Amino acid sequence: YGNADNLKMIEYGEHGYGLLQRTELEDITNKVNDLKKQIDNLLEDCDLISAQEQSLCVLIVDDNMDFLGMVGAFLKKNGIDSVTASDGKTGLQLLLDHPQKFMMVLLDIKLGGEMDGHSLLHQIRNSKDTDINTKPVVAMSGMAKSSECDQFDYFLRKPFELDAFISTIRSILCKRIGI
């Protein structure tokens, strides 16, 4: 190990003592400090996300009222506001009336009524308002094939596990707000 000034005695738990070169100890200390900084940065990001979620709102468009209630309540429980629409026409009107309110749209593909999910997506993407046409749109369906959802930004197959759902929504929102 060379010069004794370069060595430091350290304890190895129950196994006794050993010698490490000071440079090795400094490297380990630097790595530990780097990890502490990374953890601090992650905690700051989590605090930022929590603070920003207080003002985040998601538009949910689905013709199943029970589903709307369940998803809306779950988002609220996780700090994300939502507004619901039970048909495409109402969903589009909400977007047109409040283009900056919604950070994203959760959209059932097989909507009943005058406007299905594909038609609503077409209206969103062709809007002249960049607050509307750039919103992430998440297709949700239990019957559609994933190939039918290629033009959507994301696809969630119903039924979905709620923890995976909220993780996906948070990930999309983080991308949207630049985290």
Side-chain angles (χ1 to χ4, degrees), residues 38-113:
Q38 289 176 9
I39 290 170
D40 287 343
N41 289 338
L42 286 172
L43 291 174
E44 286 175 17
D45 286 349
C46 288
D47 290 342
L48 180 61
I49 291 168
S50 293
Q52 289 180 333
E53 279 179 352
Q54 300 309 312
S55 63
L56 297 180
C57 190
V58 173
L59 176 61
I60 311 168
V61 185
D62 198 299
D63 55 359
N64 182 324
M65 298 305 286
D66 292 334
F67 180 81
L68 284 174
M70 186 252 330
V71 171
F74 188 71
L75 287 170
K76 185 72 170 172
K77 177 182 171 191
N78 284 276
I80 301 170
D81 289 330
S82 64
V83 173
T84 61
S86 59
D87 61 71
K89 190 174 177 182
T90 304
L92 179 60
Q93 194 60 53
L94 284 166
L95 280 171
L96 294 172
D97 291 346
H98 310 282
Q100 294 180 345
K101 180 178 180 94
F102 306 107
M103 295 295 289
M104 66 187 300
V105 179
L106 300 176
L107 178 57
D108 182 23
I109 297 173
K110 304 285 185 182
L111 286 172

Side-chain angles (χ1 to χ4, degrees), residues 29 31 37 43 48 66 93 106-107 122 125 134 155:
T29 302
K31 288 178 184 177
K37 287 178 188 175
L43 291 174
L48 180 61
D66 292 334
Q93 194 60 53
L106 300 176
L107 178 57
H122 180 76
R125 292 297 180 241
T134 59
F155 174 65

Side-chain angles (χ1 to χ4, degrees), residues 124-135:
I124 291 170
R125 292 297 180 241
N126 289 318
S127 171
K128 293 185 184 346
D129 187 337
T130 57
D131 285 328
I132 295 174
N133 65 26
T134 59
K135 287 191 189 317

